[in-house]
Amino acid sequence: MTHIDGGELLARTLTAAGVRDVFALHGGHLESFFQGCLNNDIHLLDTRHEAAAGHAADAYARSTGKLGVCAVTAGPGFTNVMTAIVNAQLDASPVLVIVGAPPLREVETNPLQGGFDQIAVATPATKWAHRVTNTERIPVLVAQAVRVALTGRPGVVLLEFPVDVLHMAVDERDVWPAAGLPRDIPKPAPSRSEAARVVRFLSEAQRPAIMIGGGARSPGCSAALAKFVERTGIPVVSNTRARGVLAPEHPLNAGSFGTLGVAKAVRQMAADRVLIVGARLGLLTGGRSPGMLNTDVRIAQVDIEPEEIGRVRDVEISITADATSAFEALTEAASGMSWPDFREWSATVVGLRQFDSVMFGGADSAKKPVHPYLAAKAVVETVQAKVRDPIFVLDGGEAGSWAEYHIRPSRPRSLLGHGYLGCLGIGPGMSIGAQRAFPERRVIQVTGDGSIGFHIQEFDTMVRHGLPIVTVILNNLVWGMSIHGQDIMYGRNRRAITELRDTGYDDVAKAFGCYAERVESLADIGPAMERALSAGRPACLNVMVDAEIILPATLALLGSAGDTGGKEIVIPYYENIPART
Ligand SMILES: Cc1ncc(C[n+]2csc(CCOP(=O)(O)OP(=O)(O)O)c2C)c(N)n1
């Protein structure tokens, strides 16, 4: 008779599911699992805060498309990881969170690190959250968790392991095997008639566009999408998560969703029909406002999650499908058809994708502190010139967006940043997760001086684990996006809690063991970046940038830049409220 404990069962099942890496921070509640990881060659990467472990697991998932896993202790470990859970869940990232708990045998005894219901807290924030109460069933429940995380619209699953359940040794013959570990992820496809309808719908457009989101990162989608647009001549815009699905130099790549707004504002040309694939309607598609899409735009939407289709706006054609299968079916339906000539329209939108250079390209390059657009350009262009297939992680309020203007990912899953949670402080953990997933690629984090403060201690994790991440802090000595909004709404003499000081973040990074520099002029940024990239260890550049420059998106998020002629009550970041008189 062989006995086996819960931690070993958990580690073995994860191994069977293909898990090789777990991001964690120690807590005795999970001790038998950590021992199981040692036995099963699961690599444990320990961070200095549980949120960073969660963000790392999330980034591992975002950058690979595979399951990301983190393990945190009962009580405070769980509450600390909560932010990362919500951040991943809102962006449909497949993450398994393993959390400890006091012994089942001791419930309601005011135990250590207990006294509240973790599953009740996690349930509304996850796809599935479950308390494992029986050691013999660990493999089958872990298999179920993996399946739920990865199939349909991916998401976060949380399994709570009370310490007695995890440390209990059971007779191996009583263990339920890990039935149902996913082999292939199901890929629903449109029917022929659905595909034909979409193709007809697009062929009757005058100014059609394809909008792709995170769902378009599914395997094979890049090739399927390229084939479809080359057949039809329809330009493509993407949100941050889908950047790189279509090659940056592709003649039909019109950049970000924002290009559609620019085409409206600058050329008075609006898309009349759009096909939205794997992207949710809402914040990122301009909400209900006509800034990006006219209110009468006609929409066909493809999503793996049918409930998502039609949110905020009316959708004429709804299709439940995986993005790759959808583009394959559409290409088939489109073959043999003759297509209208969209060249003038597509050349217009593609030509506007670098409108930022019109707005900011002429900024004074000798000025100190440096214009953030130019600083970010120097950082990103140096990386893109020196490094093959870098991964960028964007954090900060405005800082990351300044960098995003310049980033041209040559493949999908290479640009990680904010999603619906809009959560500052994701950068260090995400960089760690991406670097662990791709040890041979370079990971560059661009963040703000406010944001780096949330998890500055993760420089220690980078150093201990030999992760040569380069962190660039665009330092404007303020909470930039916050102070800009505050100034516009209430005036510069009404500042409240939006100012910071000239902290030596580079000194802090050095103390943790990083290579670090303070950079004050534009001309120094490129060479400093080269030194950081070749330092052979984690590095940090503290780049002084001009606090007076406002990111266009900050103005857009304030609606009418705060000047509504008294007709609206300005609500930062959301729809203004009409003032009824
Ligand atoms: C965790 C969290 N706290 C607070 C906010 C609100 N917030 C949004 S942008 C911003 C300012 C960011 O400042 P910084 O990181 O210095 O970047 P900058 O805008 O100056 O580039 C703040 C405080 C948030 N989004 N997330």
Side-chain angles (χ1 to χ4, degrees):
M1 187 171 67
T2 317
H3 278 82
I4 182 166
D5 71 28
E8 177 68 22
L9 285 173
L10 172 55
R12 279 191 197 174
T13 314
L14 291 178
T15 304
V19 173
R20 300 282 171 270
D21 291 285
V22 172
F23 301 92
L25 196 157
H26 188 265
H29 293 76
L30 295 179
E31 201 65 84
S32 70
F33 171 59
F34 298 137
Q35 296 305 311
C37 289
L38 293 182
N39 296 338
N40 288 279
D41 286 332
I42 291 178
H43 182 271
L44 290 166
L45 193 154
D46 55 320
T47 59
R48 296 295 301 271
H49 189 291
E50 286 87 353
H55 293 313
D58 180 4
Y60 189 95
R62 289 180 199 234
S63 59
T64 60
K66 295 195 267 188
L67 185 73
V69 183
C70 69
V72 299
T73 196
F78 166 73
T79 53
N80 277 348
V81 86
M82 203 60 212
T83 297
I85 289 177
V86 178
N87 190 57
Q89 171 68 8
L90 290 182
D91 289 351
S93 187
V95 171
L96 167 62
V97 179
I98 292 164
V99 57
L104 276 184
R105 303 148 41 96
E106 293 184 39
V107 289
E108 298 300 330
T109 61
N110 290 336
L112 175 72
Q113 290 172 242
F116 72 105
D117 185 344
Q118 299 183 140
I119 297 301
V121 176
T123 296
T126 54
K127 205 171 167 192
W128 186 51
H130 184 77
R131 175 172 302 125
V132 179
T133 57
N134 181 291
T135 307
E136 291 87 345
R137 292 205 51 207
I138 287 176
V140 75
L141 288 169
V142 172
Q144 167 140 341
V146 173
R147 213 170 52 242
V148 172
L150 289 169
T151 51
R153 174 156 78 199
V156 177
V157 293
L158 178 140
L159 287 179
E160 182 196 87
F161 293 90
V163 59
D164 50 351
V165 174
L166 199 65
H167 287 74
M168 179 92 81
V170 295
D171 185 335
E172 218 164 343
R173 290 169 302 185
D174 295 333
V175 173
W176 293 33
L181 272 175
R183 291 192 183 84
D184 299 308
I185 307 296
K187 296 215 175 304
S191 67
R192 269 169 192 263
S193 64
E194 284 175 326
R197 249 187 102 195
V198 174
V199 161
R200 203 175 327 117
F201 167 85
L202 289 171
S203 71
E204 287 163 7
Q206 285 172 1
R207 293 176 306 280
I210 296 173
M211 305 175 76
I212 55 167
R217 295 169 303 179
S218 65
C221 194
S222 291
L225 168 66
K227 224 169 157 185
F228 181 63
V229 296
E230 281 154 25
R231 179 79 199 77
T232 59
I234 301 173
V236 178
V237 288
S238 65
N239 67 18
T240 308
R241 278 198 290 286
R243 211 60 54 73
V245 171
L246 195 63
E249 64 281 359
H250 194 286
L252 289 165
N253 189 336
S256 72
F257 285 178
T259 311
L260 294 182
V262 176
K264 275 196 70 178
V266 177
R267 294 284 156 78
Q268 281 76 53
M269 285 174 93
D272 63 339
R273 295 188 183 201
V274 292
L275 169 63
I276 303 179
V277 180
R280 283 172 272 175
L281 285 158
L283 166 73
L284 303 178
T285 54
R288 294 194 311 157
S289 105
M292 185 183 296
L293 296 175
N294 277 344
T295 34
D296 61 355
V297 67
R298 296 175 65 175
I299 302 175
Q301 190 176 1
V302 177
D303 203 284
I304 195 121
E305 172 59 70
E307 287 174 14
E308 197 54 53
I309 298 175
R311 198 191 284 269
V312 191
R313 285 172 185 266
D314 272 336
V315 166
E316 207 167 310
I317 306 177
S318 317
I319 294 178
T320 307
D322 156 78
T324 308
S325 315
F327 284 121
E328 285 168 355
L330 293 180
T331 304
E332 204 181 307
S335 68
M337 273 177 63
S338 64
W339 281 83
D341 186 351
F342 298 130
R343 270 178 299 183
E344 195 191 325
W345 155 247
S346 69
T348 304
V349 275
V350 172
L352 289 171
R353 73 176 187 171
Q354 277 167 327
F355 195 67
D356 50 281
S357 63
V358 178
M359 285 189 290
F360 302 110
D364 180 357
S365 57
K367 190 170 179 295
K368 289 186 194 176
V370 184
H371 193 295
Y373 178 85
L374 297 183
K377 184 168 193 268
V379 167
V380 173
E381 288 186 350
T382 307
V383 174
Q384 289 178 161
K386 299 277 160 200
V387 171
R388 208 165 154 234
D389 294 337
I391 297 175
F392 283 96
V393 175
L394 306 182
D395 195 352
E398 299 186 343
S401 300
W402 288 118
E404 190 171 343
Y405 281 128
H406 312 285
I407 296 171
R408 306 269 174 274
S410 51
R411 50 201 253 203
R413 302 186 179 278
S414 303
L415 173 56
L416 313 182
H418 292 307
Y420 290 99
L421 192 61
C423 178
L424 304 181
I426 55 170
M430 282 209 166
S431 304
I432 289 165
Q435 187 72 83
R436 177 67 203 166
F438 293 98
E440 75 290 356
R441 292 168 71 187
R442 298 307 303 264
V443 176
I444 318 297
Q445 172 188 198
V446 181
T447 186
D449 52 323
S451 296
I452 194 64
F454 287 91
H455 289 297
I456 200 161
Q457 76 288 347
E458 298 305 330
F459 282 131
D460 174 74
T461 306
M462 297 174 194
V463 170
R464 273 184 301 112
H465 290 277
L467 306 172
I469 295 155
V470 178
T471 297
V472 178
I473 303 169
L474 296 184
N475 185 353
N476 51 14
L477 312 184
V478 289
W479 295 93
M481 184 175 270
S482 297
I483 208 166
H484 292 150
Q486 200 168 60
D487 286 355
I488 290 165
M489 287 177 69
Y490 295 103
R492 294 169 74 100
N493 60 343
R494 301 291 304 172
R495 289 183 168 177
I497 65 167
T498 43
E499 288 165 315
L500 293 164
R501 44 188 290 276
D502 189 355
T503 298
Y505 299 105
D506 46 322
D507 293 332
V508 177
K510 260 184 217 155
F512 276 115
C514 297
Y515 174 82
E517 285 188 45
R518 178 186 175 97
V519 188
E520 298 194 345
S521 73
L522 180 61
D524 288 340
I525 294 177
M529 205 55 210
E530 288 184 29
R531 289 190 289 274
L533 285 166
S534 54
R537 58 192 157 118
C540 171
L541 297 185
N542 183 13
V543 180
M544 310 312 291
V545 297
D546 191 348
E548 298 299 320
I549 314 294
I550 304 176
L551 181 83
T554 302
L555 292 177
L557 282 169
L558 284 175
S560 322
D563 177 17
T564 67
K567 293 206 184 77
E568 290 179 353
I569 299 167
V570 177
I571 303 289
Y573 315 140
Y574 304 94
E575 284 186 31
N576 287 341
I577 303 174
R580 312 239 184 254
T581 47

